[in-house]
């Protein structure tokens, strides 16, 4: 067998820059939407149990504020961070193992959520309850989404078919998040 008969693998493009950012955006928007919705729904009974006297508009304001912030994070925050700070962290962690890089992204996501959690906590009459609910409904999804997105990014980038599917799912996820926001804010019969 000569050297010309040997199978030749197609050169793989390194995952850098804009490609990684766009894939992270396409992965992150629907992933954040699902995780944030799940965490917010799971944390709501805890917030209601800790503050049973805040029924009505005061309790509703906390849930609406978190819903608005979650929509803003999914629609604006994920793309902006993926194309700015995410690129910088991706470049710094590109030679690390996937597990280590994912931990770095999870820490980045959780730290970026801290100002939002504090802002919502300070806007509530019961700061501790508002802070706990915001941490569970915003902070946890930010960290988990950033870590999971970085963990599955190499797998998604491996083939054009996966990149295409993720792009389609990302577009559908963006549409779903915006639709959900309209229904939450204006009601189902808007």
């Amino acid at each position: 067998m000569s050297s010309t008969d040997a199978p030749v693998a197609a050169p793989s493009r390194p995952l850098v820059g804009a490609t990684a950012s766009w894939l992270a955006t396409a992965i992150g928007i629907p992933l954040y939407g699902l995780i944030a919705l799940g965490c917010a729904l799971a944390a709501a009974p805890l917030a209601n149990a800790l503050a049973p006297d805040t029924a009505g508009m005061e309790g509703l304001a906390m849930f609406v504020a978190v819903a608005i912030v979650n929509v803003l994070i999914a629609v604006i925050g994920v793309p902006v961070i993926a194309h700015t700070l995410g690129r910088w962290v991706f470049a710094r962690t590109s030679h690390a193992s996937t597990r280590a890089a994912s931990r770095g992204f999870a820490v980045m996501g959780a730290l970026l959520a801290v100002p939002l959690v504090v802002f919502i906590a300070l806007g509530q009459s019961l700061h501790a309850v508002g802070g706990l609910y915001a941490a569970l409904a915003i902070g946890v999804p930010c960290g988990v989404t950033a870590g999971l997105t970085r963990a599955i990014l190499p797998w998604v980038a491996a083939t054009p078919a996966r990149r295409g599917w993720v792009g389609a799912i990302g577009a559908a996820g963006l549409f779903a998040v915006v639709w959900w926001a309209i229904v939450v804010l204006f009601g189902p019969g808007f």
Side-chain angles (χ1 to χ4, degrees), residues 93-103 150:
T93 60
S94 63
H95 298 303
S97 69
T98 301
R99 179 179 283 179
S102 296
R103 277 194 305 261
R150 177 58 179 92

Side-chain angles (χ1 to χ4, degrees), residues 66-131:
V66 166
I68 290 170
V69 168
N70 275 334
V71 168
L72 290 174
I73 290 171
V75 174
I76 298 170
V78 169
V80 167
I81 295 303
H83 289 277
T84 56
L85 186 60
R87 278 189 185 191
W88 184 80
V89 175
F90 186 82
R92 299 309 178 270
T93 60
S94 63
H95 298 303
S97 69
T98 301
R99 179 179 283 179
S102 296
R103 277 194 305 261
F105 270 79
V107 168
M108 175 194 72
L111 288 175
L112 288 171
V114 170
L116 301 170
V117 170
V118 170
F119 177 73
I120 288 178
L122 293 176
Q124 307 304 313
S125 61
L126 296 171
H127 301 307
V129 174

Side-chain angles (χ1 to χ4, degrees), residues 31-190:
L31 191 61
Y32 183 83
L34 289 173
I35 293 171
L37 181 61
C39 287
L41 291 174
L46 176 63
N48 284 330
L50 292 173
D53 298 335
T54 59
M57 291 306 287
E58 184 180 349
L60 183 62
M62 175 177 62
F63 298 121
V64 170
V66 166
I68 290 170
V69 168
N70 275 334
V71 168
L72 290 174
I73 290 171
V75 174
I76 298 170
V78 169
V80 167
I81 295 303
H83 289 277
T84 56
L85 186 60
R87 278 189 185 191
W88 184 80
V89 175
F90 186 82
R92 299 309 178 270
T93 60
S94 63
H95 298 303
S97 69
T98 301
R99 179 179 283 179
S102 296
R103 277 194 305 261
F105 270 79
V107 168
M108 175 194 72
L111 288 175
L112 288 171
V114 170
L116 301 170
V117 170
V118 170
F119 177 73
I120 288 178
L122 293 176
Q124 307 304 313
S125 61
L126 296 171
H127 301 307
V129 174
L132 177 63
Y133 179 68
L136 293 173
I138 295 173
V140 170
C142 283
V144 171
T145 299
L148 278 177
T149 298
R150 177 58 179 92
I152 64 174
L153 191 61
W155 180 81
V156 169
T159 66
R162 290 180 193 156
R163 290 191 298 267
W165 275 106
V166 165
I169 291 169
L174 179 61
F175 176 76
V177 167
V178 170
W179 183 259
W180 173 68
I182 291 170
V183 171
V184 167
L185 296 177
F186 302 113
F190 66 93

